[in-house]
Amino acid sequence: MQGFGELETALMEVLWKRQAPTTVREAMDDLRWHRKLAYTTVMTVIDTLYRKGWLTREPDGRAYRYLPALTRDQLVARTMHEVLVDSGDRGEALMHFVGRMTMDDAAALREALNSYERRISGR
């Protein structure tokens, strides 16, 4: 994921996959396939993600349970929007984006636009 380091990305993937409030220990256990990590390393990275606003947390005894603040899809949409805003010419950027789509992607975009238009028009 753009903007995340390697371990941050791996932890976000674990938390998205779990879809439930997760302790540092549980996240660390799920990362064992990735590489051997110290508890304090995982705790520090999770705390950093929390302080950056990428995670929410709830108390669980003397520890916390963490959840992503955004779904993966919400993060992708936010990133796409930020990139579009940063482009010099939105129309040109969108033309290049659409030009790289498959027919299935174009159909999904068409359906998303139709759904959005129905929602804002109140139909």
PDB file of all heavy atoms in Angstrom, residues 89-110:
ATOM      1  N   ASP A  89      -4.008  18.022 -14.329  1.00  0.00           N
ATOM      2  CA  ASP A  89      -5.208  18.128 -15.157  1.00  0.00           C
ATOM      3  C   ASP A  89      -6.066  16.904 -14.873  1.00  0.00           C
ATOM      4  O   ASP A  89      -5.782  15.803 -15.350  1.00  0.00           O
ATOM      5  CB  ASP A  89      -4.784  18.191 -16.631  1.00  0.00           C
ATOM      6  CG  ASP A  89      -5.954  18.335 -17.583  1.00  0.00           C
ATOM      7  OD1 ASP A  89      -7.093  17.957 -17.219  1.00  0.00           O
ATOM      8  OD2 ASP A  89      -5.724  18.805 -18.712  1.00  0.00           O
ATOM      9  N   ARG A  90      -7.122  17.092 -14.099  1.00  0.00           N
ATOM     10  CA  ARG A  90      -7.975  15.959 -13.701  1.00  0.00           C
ATOM     11  C   ARG A  90      -8.539  15.217 -14.903  1.00  0.00           C
ATOM     12  O   ARG A  90      -8.566  13.994 -14.931  1.00  0.00           O
ATOM     13  CB  ARG A  90      -9.119  16.429 -12.823  1.00  0.00           C
ATOM     14  CG  ARG A  90      -8.716  16.738 -11.417  1.00  0.00           C
ATOM     15  CD  ARG A  90      -9.945  17.055 -10.600  1.00  0.00           C
ATOM     16  NE  ARG A  90      -9.541  17.447  -9.259  1.00  0.00           N
ATOM     17  CZ  ARG A  90     -10.362  17.481  -8.226  1.00  0.00           C
ATOM     18  NH1 ARG A  90     -11.630  17.177  -8.390  1.00  0.00           N
ATOM     19  NH2 ARG A  90      -9.935  17.834  -7.045  1.00  0.00           N
ATOM     20  N   GLY A  91      -9.026  15.960 -15.881  1.00  0.00           N
ATOM     21  CA  GLY A  91      -9.602  15.331 -17.069  1.00  0.00           C
ATOM     22  C   GLY A  91      -8.596  14.461 -17.788  1.00  0.00           C
ATOM     23  O   GLY A  91      -8.904  13.327 -18.187  1.00  0.00           O
ATOM     24  N   GLU A  92      -7.387  14.979 -17.960  1.00  0.00           N
ATOM     25  CA  GLU A  92      -6.331  14.214 -18.635  1.00  0.00           C
ATOM     26  C   GLU A  92      -5.943  12.983 -17.811  1.00  0.00           C
ATOM     27  O   GLU A  92      -5.769  11.887 -18.355  1.00  0.00           O
ATOM     28  CB  GLU A  92      -5.110  15.111 -18.865  1.00  0.00           C
ATOM     29  CG  GLU A  92      -4.025  14.491 -19.679  1.00  0.00           C
ATOM     30  CD  GLU A  92      -4.388  14.299 -21.150  1.00  0.00           C
ATOM     31  OE1 GLU A  92      -5.343  14.931 -21.639  1.00  0.00           O
ATOM     32  OE2 GLU A  92      -3.707  13.484 -21.803  1.00  0.00           O
ATOM     33  N   ALA A  93      -5.841  13.158 -16.506  1.00  0.00           N
ATOM     34  CA  ALA A  93      -5.504  12.024 -15.630  1.00  0.00           C
ATOM     35  C   ALA A  93      -6.587  10.946 -15.716  1.00  0.00           C
ATOM     36  O   ALA A  93      -6.282   9.752 -15.796  1.00  0.00           O
ATOM     37  CB  ALA A  93      -5.324  12.493 -14.189  1.00  0.00           C
ATOM     38  N   LEU A  94      -7.847  11.362 -15.709  1.00  0.00           N
ATOM     39  CA  LEU A  94      -8.940  10.398 -15.815  1.00  0.00           C
ATOM     40  C   LEU A  94      -8.930   9.686 -17.161  1.00  0.00           C
ATOM     41  O   LEU A  94      -9.201   8.483 -17.240  1.00  0.00           O
ATOM     42  CB  LEU A  94     -10.286  11.086 -15.582  1.00  0.00           C
ATOM     43  CG  LEU A  94     -10.585  11.426 -14.122  1.00  0.00           C
ATOM     44  CD1 LEU A  94     -11.794  12.359 -14.031  1.00  0.00           C
ATOM     45  CD2 LEU A  94     -10.806  10.172 -13.300  1.00  0.00           C
ATOM     46  N   MET A  95      -8.610  10.409 -18.234  1.00  0.00           N
ATOM     47  CA  MET A  95      -8.530   9.776 -19.561  1.00  0.00           C
ATOM     48  C   MET A  95      -7.444   8.695 -19.575  1.00  0.00           C
ATOM     49  O   MET A  95      -7.656   7.604 -20.109  1.00  0.00           O
ATOM     50  CB  MET A  95      -8.249  10.818 -20.647  1.00  0.00           C
ATOM     51  CG  MET A  95      -9.451  11.681 -20.975  1.00  0.00           C
ATOM     52  SD  MET A  95     -10.874  10.734 -21.562  1.00  0.00           S
ATOM     53  CE  MET A  95     -10.228  10.051 -23.070  1.00  0.00           C
ATOM     54  N   HIS A  96      -6.285   8.985 -18.976  1.00  0.00           N
ATOM     55  CA  HIS A  96      -5.219   7.979 -18.916  1.00  0.00           C
ATOM     56  C   HIS A  96      -5.643   6.794 -18.052  1.00  0.00           C
ATOM     57  O   HIS A  96      -5.357   5.635 -18.379  1.00  0.00           O
ATOM     58  CB  HIS A  96      -3.927   8.590 -18.386  1.00  0.00           C
ATOM     59  CG  HIS A  96      -3.242   9.475 -19.366  1.00  0.00           C
ATOM     60  ND1 HIS A  96      -2.619   8.998 -20.500  1.00  0.00           N
ATOM     61  CD2 HIS A  96      -3.095  10.815 -19.389  1.00  0.00           C
ATOM     62  CE1 HIS A  96      -2.112  10.001 -21.181  1.00  0.00           C
ATOM     63  NE2 HIS A  96      -2.398  11.132 -20.531  1.00  0.00           N
ATOM     64  N   PHE A  97      -6.329   7.085 -16.951  1.00  0.00           N
ATOM     65  CA  PHE A  97      -6.807   6.032 -16.058  1.00  0.00           C
ATOM     66  C   PHE A  97      -7.788   5.117 -16.792  1.00  0.00           C
ATOM     67  O   PHE A  97      -7.644   3.891 -16.803  1.00  0.00           O
ATOM     68  CB  PHE A  97      -7.455   6.672 -14.823  1.00  0.00           C
ATOM     69  CG  PHE A  97      -8.022   5.686 -13.846  1.00  0.00           C
ATOM     70  CD1 PHE A  97      -7.199   4.861 -13.097  1.00  0.00           C
ATOM     71  CD2 PHE A  97      -9.392   5.593 -13.657  1.00  0.00           C
ATOM     72  CE1 PHE A  97      -7.718   3.953 -12.192  1.00  0.00           C
ATOM     73  CE2 PHE A  97      -9.928   4.690 -12.749  1.00  0.00           C
ATOM     74  CZ  PHE A  97      -9.084   3.870 -12.013  1.00  0.00           C
ATOM     75  N   VAL A  98      -8.780   5.706 -17.423  1.00  0.00           N
ATOM     76  CA  VAL A  98      -9.791   4.937 -18.150  1.00  0.00           C
ATOM     77  C   VAL A  98      -9.148   4.166 -19.301  1.00  0.00           C
ATOM     78  O   VAL A  98      -9.521   3.025 -19.582  1.00  0.00           O
ATOM     79  CB  VAL A  98     -10.925   5.865 -18.645  1.00  0.00           C
ATOM     80  CG1 VAL A  98     -11.860   5.141 -19.599  1.00  0.00           C
ATOM     81  CG2 VAL A  98     -11.700   6.425 -17.455  1.00  0.00           C
ATOM     82  N   GLY A  99      -8.148   4.766 -19.942  1.00  0.00           N
ATOM     83  CA  GLY A  99      -7.473   4.112 -21.054  1.00  0.00           C
ATOM     84  C   GLY A  99      -6.742   2.836 -20.658  1.00  0.00           C
ATOM     85  O   GLY A  99      -6.449   1.997 -21.512  1.00  0.00           O
ATOM     86  N   ARG A 100      -6.461   2.667 -19.392  1.00  0.00           N
ATOM     87  CA  ARG A 100      -5.763   1.467 -18.919  1.00  0.00           C
ATOM     88  C   ARG A 100      -6.725   0.410 -18.379  1.00  0.00           C
ATOM     89  O   ARG A 100      -6.301  -0.661 -17.951  1.00  0.00           O
ATOM     90  CB  ARG A 100      -4.760   1.853 -17.837  1.00  0.00           C
ATOM     91  CG  ARG A 100      -3.674   2.791 -18.363  1.00  0.00           C
ATOM     92  CD  ARG A 100      -2.691   3.075 -17.279  1.00  0.00           C
ATOM     93  NE  ARG A 100      -2.004   1.832 -16.942  1.00  0.00           N
ATOM     94  CZ  ARG A 100      -0.693   1.673 -16.919  1.00  0.00           C
ATOM     95  NH1 ARG A 100       0.079   2.675 -17.203  1.00  0.00           N
ATOM     96  NH2 ARG A 100      -0.164   0.516 -16.595  1.00  0.00           N
ATOM     97  N   MET A 101      -8.014   0.698 -18.389  1.00  0.00           N
ATOM     98  CA  MET A 101      -9.004  -0.221 -17.826  1.00  0.00           C
ATOM     99  C   MET A 101      -9.298  -1.382 -18.764  1.00  0.00           C
ATOM    100  O   MET A 101      -9.253  -1.242 -19.976  1.00  0.00           O
ATOM    101  CB  MET A 101     -10.324   0.517 -17.572  1.00  0.00           C
ATOM    102  CG  MET A 101     -10.304   1.452 -16.439  1.00  0.00           C
ATOM    103  SD  MET A 101     -11.985   2.122 -16.255  1.00  0.00           S
ATOM    104  CE  MET A 101     -11.822   2.816 -14.639  1.00  0.00           C
ATOM    105  N   THR A 102      -9.665  -2.501 -18.143  1.00  0.00           N
ATOM    106  CA  THR A 102     -10.222  -3.617 -18.900  1.00  0.00           C
ATOM    107  C   THR A 102     -11.703  -3.317 -19.127  1.00  0.00           C
ATOM    108  O   THR A 102     -12.266  -2.397 -18.515  1.00  0.00           O
ATOM    109  CB  THR A 102     -10.103  -4.935 -18.123  1.00  0.00           C
ATOM    110  OG1 THR A 102     -10.917  -4.839 -16.934  1.00  0.00           O
ATOM    111  CG2 THR A 102      -8.648  -5.229 -17.726  1.00  0.00           C
ATOM    112  N   MET A 103     -12.331  -4.092 -19.956  1.00  0.00           N
ATOM    113  CA  MET A 103     -13.771  -3.920 -20.179  1.00  0.00           C
ATOM    114  C   MET A 103     -14.549  -4.177 -18.885  1.00  0.00           C
ATOM    115  O   MET A 103     -15.534  -3.492 -18.599  1.00  0.00           O
ATOM    116  CB  MET A 103     -14.256  -4.833 -21.303  1.00  0.00           C
ATOM    117  CG  MET A 103     -13.684  -4.463 -22.666  1.00  0.00           C
ATOM    118  SD  MET A 103     -13.962  -2.733 -23.124  1.00  0.00           S
ATOM    119  CE  MET A 103     -15.685  -2.767 -23.528  1.00  0.00           C
ATOM    120  N   ASP A 104     -14.095  -5.138 -18.081  1.00  0.00           N
ATOM    121  CA  ASP A 104     -14.746  -5.406 -16.795  1.00  0.00           C
ATOM    122  C   ASP A 104     -14.601  -4.209 -15.851  1.00  0.00           C
ATOM    123  O   ASP A 104     -15.539  -3.853 -15.142  1.00  0.00           O
ATOM    124  CB  ASP A 104     -14.169  -6.657 -16.139  1.00  0.00           C
ATOM    125  CG  ASP A 104     -14.597  -7.946 -16.830  1.00  0.00           C
ATOM    126  OD1 ASP A 104     -15.579  -7.913 -17.608  1.00  0.00           O
ATOM    127  OD2 ASP A 104     -13.954  -8.979 -16.587  1.00  0.00           O
ATOM    128  N   ASP A 105     -13.402  -3.593 -15.839  1.00  0.00           N
ATOM    129  CA  ASP A 105     -13.189  -2.400 -15.021  1.00  0.00           C
ATOM    130  C   ASP A 105     -14.121  -1.273 -15.463  1.00  0.00           C
ATOM    131  O   ASP A 105     -14.722  -0.585 -14.635  1.00  0.00           O
ATOM    132  CB  ASP A 105     -11.744  -1.900 -15.115  1.00  0.00           C
ATOM    133  CG  ASP A 105     -10.733  -2.835 -14.491  1.00  0.00           C
ATOM    134  OD1 ASP A 105     -11.119  -3.662 -13.642  1.00  0.00           O
ATOM    135  OD2 ASP A 105      -9.542  -2.724 -14.857  1.00  0.00           O
ATOM    136  N   ALA A 106     -14.228  -1.077 -16.780  1.00  0.00           N
ATOM    137  CA  ALA A 106     -15.086  -0.016 -17.317  1.00  0.00           C
ATOM    138  C   ALA A 106     -16.543  -0.264 -16.938  1.00  0.00           C
ATOM    139  O   ALA A 106     -17.269   0.669 -16.569  1.00  0.00           O
ATOM    140  CB  ALA A 106     -14.918   0.083 -18.833  1.00  0.00           C
ATOM    141  N   ALA A 107     -16.980  -1.511 -17.008  1.00  0.00           N
ATOM    142  CA  ALA A 107     -18.360  -1.839 -16.622  1.00  0.00           C
ATOM    143  C   ALA A 107     -18.578  -1.564 -15.131  1.00  0.00           C
ATOM    144  O   ALA A 107     -19.631  -1.031 -14.741  1.00  0.00           O
ATOM    145  CB  ALA A 107     -18.669  -3.293 -16.958  1.00  0.00           C
ATOM    146  N   ALA A 108     -17.604  -1.907 -14.307  1.00  0.00           N
ATOM    147  CA  ALA A 108     -17.717  -1.652 -12.866  1.00  0.00           C
ATOM    148  C   ALA A 108     -17.753  -0.150 -12.595  1.00  0.00           C
ATOM    149  O   ALA A 108     -18.519   0.318 -11.737  1.00  0.00           O
ATOM    150  CB  ALA A 108     -16.559  -2.311 -12.120  1.00  0.00           C
ATOM    151  N   LEU A 109     -16.941   0.619 -13.308  1.00  0.00           N
ATOM    152  CA  LEU A 109     -16.942   2.071 -13.148  1.00  0.00           C
ATOM    153  C   LEU A 109     -18.283   2.653 -13.585  1.00  0.00           C
ATOM    154  O   LEU A 109     -18.857   3.504 -12.897  1.00  0.00           O
ATOM    155  CB  LEU A 109     -15.798   2.707 -13.947  1.00  0.00           C
ATOM    156  CG  LEU A 109     -15.740   4.233 -13.927  1.00  0.00           C
ATOM    157  CD1 LEU A 109     -15.595   4.767 -12.502  1.00  0.00           C
ATOM    158  CD2 LEU A 109     -14.583   4.734 -14.801  1.00  0.00           C
ATOM    159  N   ARG A 110     -18.807   2.176 -14.708  1.00  0.00           N
ATOM    160  CA  ARG A 110     -20.108   2.639 -15.203  1.00  0.00           C
ATOM    161  C   ARG A 110     -21.196   2.369 -14.152  1.00  0.00           C
ATOM    162  O   ARG A 110     -22.017   3.231 -13.850  1.00  0.00           O
ATOM    163  CB  ARG A 110     -20.440   1.928 -16.506  1.00  0.00           C
ATOM    164  CG  ARG A 110     -21.032   2.823 -17.545  1.00  0.00           C
ATOM    165  CD  ARG A 110     -21.280   2.108 -18.873  1.00  0.00           C
ATOM    166  NE  ARG A 110     -20.170   2.325 -19.796  1.00  0.00           N
ATOM    167  CZ  ARG A 110     -19.240   1.427 -20.124  1.00  0.00           C
ATOM    168  NH1 ARG A 110     -19.275   0.220 -19.625  1.00  0.00           N
ATOM    169  NH2 ARG A 110     -18.285   1.721 -20.965  1.00  0.00           N
TER     170      ARG A 110
END
